[in-house]
Amino acid sequence: MYIYLLSILTAICLGIVKPCLATNLIDVYQDALKNDAVYQAAVSTRLSMRETLPQRVAALLPSINGQANLASNYQNITQAPSADPLGISTFPSRGVSIAIKQPLFDSGGWFAIKQASSTSKQADAILMSATQALIYRVASAYFKVLLAKDNLRLAQSETTANAKQLEQAQKRVRVGLDAITSVYDAKAAYDKSLAAEITVQNALRNSQEGLRQLTGQTYAKLSGFRNKLPLLRPQPTNVEQWITTATTYNLTLIASRYGLEAARNNIKIKASGHLPTVNLVGSYGRDNGINAGTTNRNSAVVGLQLEVPLFSGGAIVSNTRQAQYDFQTTSANLDNTYRQVMVTTRQKYNDVLADISRIQAEYQAVKSAQLSLASTEESFKAGIRTIVDVLLAQQNLYDAKRNTAKDQYTYLLDSLALKQEAGTLKPDDLAQINQWLL
């Protein structure tokens, strides 16, 4: 019986892995790759944009059309001057024809192929940018859950500590060592911590919903971090090198550059409406008349067809001007993206350095707050300090711990954001963070 139950439990764990084992960052990322609606939309958008190229190529390839007809004919033949009918007859007829057209010279078609090639490359860059955005969004959602859990743990611990202070205050009042106001102060702090705990519990639930939006799944347990995170400075340590990398490899910037190429070729496409086109055309047809008085007819034609646009009401000129204005808009947007990438890269680099310094200072702040709390409690027991001083020192300690937890996750996200701006963010970066999890 024991073996039977053990086998059932093993099968459950094998079939439903997530409830049995803690889910880590890479697991969540893999789930998001499959289920995130924003990323899936980016994948299909890229596939749609890449279809432009075969469509433009198809316009320069031979086109073959076939036609068949079956008709009932009415014939009335008369002869002048008598206008007497020579004969009235009805007869069916049928025929088939096939026509082929091969463009030989079409400058607009070739420019359209170049434009489609740029559009396809732009689609690839947009998808890679969406992949990097997914990496960051997964990390952000994952860290929000962990931070909410840290805050809940700290809130529960603070509530417990305030409950002890309240109990001690009540004892001191009973033996006449303190005034009743100390109980009121301790009770106020305890009630405040209870309210904060409820708020944090709700924040945890909301953060879990945010993670479910990405993956379509809920997780019984997420792996948390070991004690302290390694605070790694950005490599290289020169911000100008980061800016050089970003202006070369930032995927949003690359996509904008391909968009500018497409806009430039669009001007050529519109302007080529003034140019002639040359096509090789051919056709073959066969008509059969099902009547003794009719004949069968076969025909074939092969030749060159020249089309010269003479006047289109000014549409070509207007379309060309519009394409030029669109090019100017795209060029201005590219310049703005370039400047934004430079500024954001520098800001994120500075943010990472500031995060490291702030976290190191907060580590020391936690130690100082612990010493201050211990000293205040001793002074309170000696009658030198009040319960308010103890509660304030205790609150300062938990505030320092909360700030440390929050800034650690901020540091990780800023590090990922810096790499995203530089265009170098990869799943390997998540794998490195994943090694620091329990």
Side-chain angles (χ1 to χ4, degrees):
M1 184 67 178
Y2 174 79
I3 297 177
Y4 176 74
L5 292 176
L6 181 61
S7 63
I8 293 178
L9 292 175
T10 304
I12 292 175
C13 288
L14 291 176
I16 311 175
V17 177
K18 290 182 178 62
C20 299
L21 299 174
T23 305
N24 60 36
L25 186 57
I26 294 299
D27 295 332
V28 174
Y29 173 67
Q30 294 297 332
D31 290 338
L33 273 178
K34 300 174 186 177
N35 301 307
D36 178 56
V38 175
Y39 178 73
Q40 295 302 322
V43 172
S44 58
T45 299
R46 179 234 182 194
L47 294 175
S48 175
M49 293 177 67
R50 287 184 64 86
E51 289 299 320
T52 305
L53 182 57
Q55 292 171 7
R56 296 295 182 262
V57 172
L60 296 181
L61 296 178
S63 60
I64 303 175
N65 296 303
Q67 184 178 5
N69 63 79
L70 177 63
S72 178
N73 300 274
Y74 172 81
Q75 180 174 275
N76 184 359
I77 302 176
T78 60
Q79 184 176 3
S82 63
D84 295 329
L86 298 180
I88 299 175
S89 61
T90 59
F91 61 93
S93 65
R94 61 190 178 197
V96 294
S97 64
I98 186 170
I100 184 171
K101 179 181 179 180
Q102 169 61 62
L104 298 180
F105 176 77
D106 185 354
S107 57
W110 287 106
F111 290 137
I113 290 179
K114 291 183 179 180
Q115 182 192 44
S117 178
S118 299
T119 301
S120 296
K121 295 175 182 177
Q122 183 184 25
D124 293 338
I126 291 175
L127 178 59
M128 288 188 289
S129 177
T131 304
Q132 290 189 344
L134 178 64
I135 293 174
Y136 182 86
R137 289 190 293 118
V138 167
S140 178
Y142 191 96
F143 296 157
K144 282 182 180 179
V145 175
L146 294 188
L147 177 59
K149 287 185 176 182
D150 289 344
N151 287 336
L152 179 58
R153 175 178 52 80
L154 291 171
Q156 292 172 340
S157 178
E158 186 174 11
T159 299
T160 301
N162 285 333
K164 291 181 179 179
Q165 295 296 342
L166 176 59
E167 182 181 0
Q168 291 179 1
Q170 291 171 338
K171 290 180 180 179
R172 289 174 65 87
V173 169
R174 283 197 296 267
V175 298
L177 294 178
D178 214 338
I180 189 64
T181 54
S182 64
V183 174
Y184 298 153
D185 293 331
K187 184 65 167 58
Y190 175 73
D191 292 339
K192 180 181 178 181
S193 61
L194 282 178
E197 187 175 337
I198 295 173
T199 301
V200 172
Q201 286 175 341
N202 184 62
L204 175 58
R205 287 191 292 267
N206 289 340
S207 63
Q208 290 171 334
E209 289 300 318
L211 193 60
R212 184 164 67 172
Q213 181 181 356
L214 281 175
T215 63
Q217 301 184 34
T218 56
Y219 302 95
K221 183 179 180 181
L222 294 180
S223 297
F225 286 99
R226 300 184 179 93
N227 300 324
K228 288 185 179 180
L229 294 176
L231 302 178
L232 306 177
R233 300 174 70 86
Q235 296 296 328
T237 57
N238 187 347
V239 66
E240 297 303 325
Q241 290 180 288
W242 280 97
I243 292 176
T244 300
T245 301
T247 53
T248 304
Y249 299 108
N250 180 275
L251 291 170
T252 302
L253 190 57
I254 291 174
S256 298
R257 287 168 179 160
Y258 284 127
L260 185 65
E261 289 183 10
R264 182 182 292 110
N265 283 309
N266 190 44
I267 297 176
K268 298 177 182 179
I269 292 172
K270 301 303 182 183
S272 65
H274 286 299
L275 301 178
T277 59
V278 179
N279 301 311
L280 174 65
V281 296
S283 64
Y284 171 78
R286 178 182 176 86
D287 294 318
N288 296 328
I290 311 175
N291 189 285
T294 61
T295 60
N296 298 330
R297 182 175 57 187
N298 297 329
S299 63
V301 176
V302 177
L304 295 177
Q305 183 184 68
L306 174 65
E307 295 184 11
V308 181
L310 298 178
F311 181 70
S312 60
I316 295 176
V317 175
S318 177
N319 289 334
T320 303
R321 284 200 305 266
Q322 184 181 38
Q324 290 172 341
Y325 297 146
D326 291 340
F327 175 80
Q328 294 173 5
T329 301
T330 305
S331 179
N333 290 336
L334 173 60
D335 186 52
N336 181 64
T337 302
Y338 180 86
R339 297 178 186 179
Q340 184 177 0
V341 167
M342 291 182 62
V343 171
T344 305
T345 301
R346 193 182 298 275
Q347 289 175 339
K348 289 303 175 182
Y349 181 88
N350 294 334
D351 288 344
V352 173
L353 296 182
D355 292 338
I356 293 174
S357 299
R358 184 165 56 250
I359 292 171
Q360 290 173 340
E362 286 169 347
Y363 286 159
Q364 186 60 43
V366 170
K367 294 179 180 179
S368 299
Q370 289 173 335
L371 294 174
S372 175
L373 176 59
S375 175
T376 304
E377 288 178 333
E378 291 298 324
S379 299
F380 174 65
K381 292 177 182 179
I384 303 175
R385 306 293 289 271
T386 66
I387 187 67
V388 175
D389 297 326
V390 175
L391 294 173
L392 181 60
Q394 186 170 273
Q395 181 180 350
N396 289 338
L397 173 60
Y398 282 101
D399 286 343
K401 289 183 176 180
R402 277 188 285 265
N403 291 335
T404 302
K406 177 178 67 68
D407 288 336
Q408 284 180 335
Y409 297 120
T410 300
Y411 156 73
L412 291 174
L413 289 176
D414 285 341
S415 298
L416 294 177
L418 175 60
K419 293 180 179 179
Q420 184 180 7
E421 284 298 316
T424 61
L425 184 61
K426 303 184 295 295
D428 292 344
D429 296 306
L430 288 185
Q432 181 183 12
I433 296 175
N434 202 60
Q435 295 175 356
W436 303 335
L437 298 174
L438 292 173

